[in-house]
């Protein structure tokens, strides 16, 4: 059933039908050949110029030139230049969803879930934090290129973003900018202040005087004058500022505002004419961002000339990795609703939900109150689906890495919001092979496997080579269909509440 006269008819190539792009200037496709993945290009008659940017072997087929090239970094960059939708772009206020992919193999499954959800949600396939890069030994270029190949292979032709996640330094900004990322998530979490519960009004005033006023480009008196006694009416929610409310908000967030401003100005200068967008993220801090604190952060950033597309407050309740929301969903909804109003009135900008995977009990509220002006960020849940795939397909490997994860968990959990206990995670020795995939539905086992990804992927055996990483990647390549099917099923549950949004632009 190979249509003659098209790229699908080329012998010795297993072209993925969903990847084929047919344009007036030629055909592009992703293929498997000789055990490798390949880029195939068949220019239109007289259109061989298109091939100049690509590397690969040239031949003739059916009277036309044919290039079969490697899935290399150079070809990925040339492909983004040629097929413009593969190049990341700012996504603005459209409903968007971030799919982190620590292994670089998940994008085809993410594309399938997006298509199954029926459209309307713009994806961020390339999304890794500086912390994840350090733990996986990957680079921003590599993250972007694997997303390009995955989107191309599975036939994604809509827009996509690329999120340089949780950036803490200007060096982080530069590295991701050089690779071509378009969304920059600035994390000033290290600059968020902590107030002791027994702090006295006098202590507050003394601390307030020590804020970095020149860099905040204001004075204590001027800041107080702008807020004290004022009320902000956000869609009927009245948010008032006493002197103490303002001083507390400033002590908690003024240094963070200064840090975001510095990072923002660096990014804007470095980006030049390139289009980029900003997310401001304080989600990884100890205490929730109150509505007055949100108003303070947004108002002060605006005063300092920062513009942003999305903002991630620290929300009430617990957003633990890989599991549903922990807390009172009604309390969350009431709080989220006010944050959504603030984002509309002081922006508009998107609210961003971090650690957003598996939060099935709150998605409806998240979508409804933002009216779809929202970004949801996930990362490790795709890694867990990879492990679910391996648990079904390669029980001995899964048993070995699960045992290892249990050993590493108590060290690796330190920088994550998780509450699982190793002693509560089932011992795999008590389970049959058929029972192993169900470990990916166990609260404790999920978190143990979620936060130990770096230890698992960088573990070396006595010869210094990857103890697990090569087998994990080979296993997922060999079972690419099963992995994509698991991702599609899992993410469709995430995307459906957002795709169903009435009135979404
Ligand atoms: Zn986050």
């Amino acid at each position: 059933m190979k249509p003659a006269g098209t790229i699908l008819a080329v012998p010795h190539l297993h072209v993925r039908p969903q990847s084929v792009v047919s344009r007036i200037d030629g055909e592009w496709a992703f293929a498997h050949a000789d055990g490798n993945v390949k880029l195939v290009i068949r220019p239109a008659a007289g259109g061989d110029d298109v091939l100049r940017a690509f590397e690969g072997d040239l031949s003739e087929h059916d009277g036309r030139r044919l290039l079969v090239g490697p899935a290399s970094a150079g070809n990925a960059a040339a492909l983004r230049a040629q097929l413009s939708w593969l190049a990341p772009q700012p996504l603005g206020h459209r409903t968007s969803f971030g799919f982190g992919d620590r292994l670089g193999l998940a994008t085809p499954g993410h594309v399938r879930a997006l298509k199954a959800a029926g459209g309307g949600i713009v994806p961020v396939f390339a999304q890794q934090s500086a912390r994840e890069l350090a733990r996986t030994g990957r680079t921003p270029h590599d993250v972007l290129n694997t997303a390009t190949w995955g989107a191309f292979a599975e036939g994604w032709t809509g827009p996509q973003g690329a999120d340089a996640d949780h950036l803490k330094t200007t060096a982080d900004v530069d590295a991701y900018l050089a690779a071509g990322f378009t969304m920059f998530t600035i994390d000033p979490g290290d600059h968020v202040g902590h107030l002791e519960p027994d702090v006295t009004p006098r202590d507050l005033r003394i601390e307030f005087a020590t804020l970095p006023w020149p860099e905040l480009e204001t004075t204590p008196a001027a800041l107080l004058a702008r807020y004290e006694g004022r009320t902000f009416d956000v869609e009927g929610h009245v948010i008032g500022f006493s002197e103490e409310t303002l001083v507390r908000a400033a002590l908690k967030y003024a240094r963070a505002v200064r840090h975001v401003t510095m990072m923002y100005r660096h990014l804007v200068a470095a980006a030049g004419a390139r289009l980029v967008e900003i997310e401001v993220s304080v989600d990884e801090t100890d205490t929730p961002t109150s509505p007055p604190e949100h108003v303070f952060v947004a108002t002060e950033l605006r005063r300092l000339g920062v513009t942003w597309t999305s903002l991630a407050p620290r929300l009430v309740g617990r957003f633990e990795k890989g599991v549903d929301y922990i807390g009172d969903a009604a309390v969350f909804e009431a709080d989220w609703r006010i944050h959504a109003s603030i984002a509309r009135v002081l922006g508009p900008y998107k609210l961003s939900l971090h650690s957003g995977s598996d939060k099935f009990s709150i998605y409806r509220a998240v979508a409804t109150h933002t009216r779809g002006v929202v970004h949801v960020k996930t990362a490790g849940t795709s890694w867990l689906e990879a492990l679910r795939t391996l648990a079904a397909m390669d029980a001995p490997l899964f048993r070995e890495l699960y045992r290892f994860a249990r050993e590493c968990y108590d060290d690796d959990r330190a920088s994550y919001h998780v509450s699982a206990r190793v002693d509560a995670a089932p011992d795999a020795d008590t389970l049959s092979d058929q029972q192993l995939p169900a470990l990916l539905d166990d609260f404790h086992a999920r978190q143990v496997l979620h936060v130990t990804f770096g230890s698992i992927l960088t573990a070396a055996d006595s010869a210094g080579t990857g103890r697990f990483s090569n087998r994990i990647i080979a296993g997922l390549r060999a079972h690419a269909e099963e992995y994509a099917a698991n991702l599609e099923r899992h993410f469709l549950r995430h995307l459906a509440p957002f795709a169903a949004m009435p009135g979404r632009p």
Side-chain angles (χ1 to χ4, degrees):
M1 287 296 286
K2 290 183 166 186
T6 75
I7 204 165
L8 286 163
V10 177
H12 313 302
L13 287 175
H14 298 280
V15 169
R16 282 168 80 89
Q18 64 268 50
S19 73
V20 175
V21 173
S22 290
R23 293 199 310 199
I24 193 146
D25 52 345
E27 290 177 287
W28 287 256
F30 191 84
H32 298 270
D34 314 323
N36 283 308
V37 290
K38 299 284 187 186
L39 167 68
V40 190
I41 307 176
R42 183 171 182 258
D48 294 353
D49 276 3
V50 128
L51 299 177
R52 269 191 304 200
F54 294 90
E55 55 183 331
D57 299 324
L58 284 169
S59 60
E60 294 275 332
H61 173 73
D62 228 358
R64 299 255 291 276
R65 299 279 269 179
L66 190 77
L67 178 137
V68 179
S72 62
N75 277 349
L79 205 54
R80 289 191 292 269
Q82 204 69 236
L83 307 181
S84 59
W85 59 87
L86 292 174
Q89 54 181 277
L91 301 176
H93 293 159
R94 288 175 285 189
T95 310
S96 53
F97 199 93
F99 301 91
D101 176 13
R102 290 165 179 168
L103 295 167
L105 297 169
T107 302
H110 297 155
V111 170
R112 288 189 196 186
L114 282 159
K115 288 182 175 175
I121 300 168
V122 284
V124 173
F125 298 126
Q127 171 214 292
Q128 298 281 281
S129 65
R131 174 175 67 188
E132 285 172 310
L133 292 183
R135 291 194 177 187
T136 56
R138 298 180 71 199
T139 64
H141 280 97
D142 173 44
V143 171
L144 193 65
N145 291 339
T146 56
T148 298
W149 289 117
F152 176 60
E154 201 59 30
W156 180 256
T157 55
Q160 60 178 292
D163 181 1
D165 197 11
H166 280 289
L167 305 179
K168 301 205 170 190
T169 67
T170 55
D172 291 340
V173 170
D174 294 343
Y176 285 93
L177 192 61
F181 280 66
T182 49
M183 174 177 172
F184 293 80
T185 298
I186 300 173
D187 176 357
D190 295 342
H191 305 269
V192 172
H194 304 274
L195 290 176
E196 298 303 326
D198 56 352
V199 65
T200 66
R202 189 169 168 274
D203 295 336
L204 287 175
R205 273 197 296 278
I206 292 169
E207 284 288 308
F208 187 61
T210 68
L211 288 173
W213 294 104
E215 289 167 279
L216 289 166
E217 299 171 17
T218 189
T219 64
L223 190 74
L224 264 171
R226 284 200 298 278
Y227 290 87
E228 195 186 350
R230 250 190 94 184
T231 53
F232 291 77
D233 183 333
V234 290
E235 301 179 340
H237 309 283
V238 176
I239 298 168
F241 277 87
S242 66
E243 178 185 357
E244 183 173 344
T245 313
L246 181 271
V247 168
R248 283 179 175 272
L251 290 179
K252 187 168 172 186
Y253 284 115
R255 287 186 175 87
V257 164
R258 176 192 59 167
H259 186 72
V260 170
T261 305
M262 182 277 291
M263 294 278 280
Y264 171 82
R265 289 175 182 173
H266 177 88
L267 170 64
V268 167
R274 286 171 49 187
L275 295 176
V276 295
E277 63 190 349
I278 311 298
E279 176 161 307
V280 177
S281 158
V282 292
D283 67 297
E284 294 195 355
T285 52
D286 290 339
T287 54
T289 310
S290 69
E293 289 165 355
H294 183 168
V295 169
F296 173 81
V297 168
T299 306
E300 292 308 300
L301 286 173
R302 192 74 80 212
R303 178 179 63 78
L304 289 161
V306 178
T307 57
W308 64 96
T309 303
S310 51
L311 185 143
R314 164 73 160 84
L315 299 161
V316 296
R318 278 156 51 201
F319 285 78
E320 294 198 1
K321 299 293 182 186
V323 298
D324 205 342
Y325 179 72
I326 302 173
D328 184 335
V331 172
F332 167 80
E333 181 165 1
D335 182 62
W336 176 259
R337 197 173 167 177
I338 298 175
H339 284 298
S341 291
I342 296 170
R344 270 191 295 276
V345 171
L346 298 189
Y349 46 87
K350 291 196 273 198
L351 281 187
S352 181
L353 190 77
H354 282 223
S355 299
S357 80
D358 305 282
K359 304 297 180 284
F360 301 112
S361 64
I362 59 168
Y363 286 147
R364 188 169 300 278
V366 168
T368 302
H369 295 301
T370 55
R371 301 174 193 163
V373 184
V374 66
H375 181 67
V376 178
K377 208 174 279 205
T378 75
T381 208
S382 294
W383 157 251
L384 292 178
E385 290 307 308
L387 297 182
R388 188 192 300 277
T389 308
L390 294 174
M393 297 295 157
D394 189 344
L397 170 60
F398 180 80
R399 284 180 187 282
E400 196 184 328
L401 70 81
Y402 179 59
R403 198 173 298 124
F404 181 75
R406 288 179 45 139
E407 289 165 16
C408 299
Y409 175 71
D410 283 324
D411 288 330
D412 287 345
R413 65 176 294 182
S415 61
Y416 289 96
H417 292 290
V418 286
S419 60
R421 298 189 330 272
V422 168
D423 59 15
D427 179 348
D429 291 345
T430 66
L431 303 174
S432 69
D433 284 359
Q434 288 70 30
Q435 290 172 315
L436 293 178
L439 280 172
L440 276 304
D441 299 318
D442 178 89
F443 178 95
H444 297 278
R446 277 182 81 76
Q447 292 200 333
V448 166
L449 288 164
H450 193 293
V451 302
T452 51
F453 71 94
S455 294
I456 293 170
L457 291 174
T458 56
D461 57 23
S462 51
T465 51
R467 180 172 162 195
F468 301 111
S469 56
N470 297 336
R471 282 184 290 162
I472 289 171
I473 288 168
L476 293 172
R477 288 215 168 107
H479 302 288
E481 276 304 311
E482 288 84 354
Y483 184 31
N486 280 335
L487 288 166
E488 178 181 348
R489 179 191 44 73
H490 186 59
F491 277 102
L492 190 51
R493 287 182 69 200
H494 289 78
L495 297 173
F498 298 93
M501 272 299 296
R504 192 174 28 67

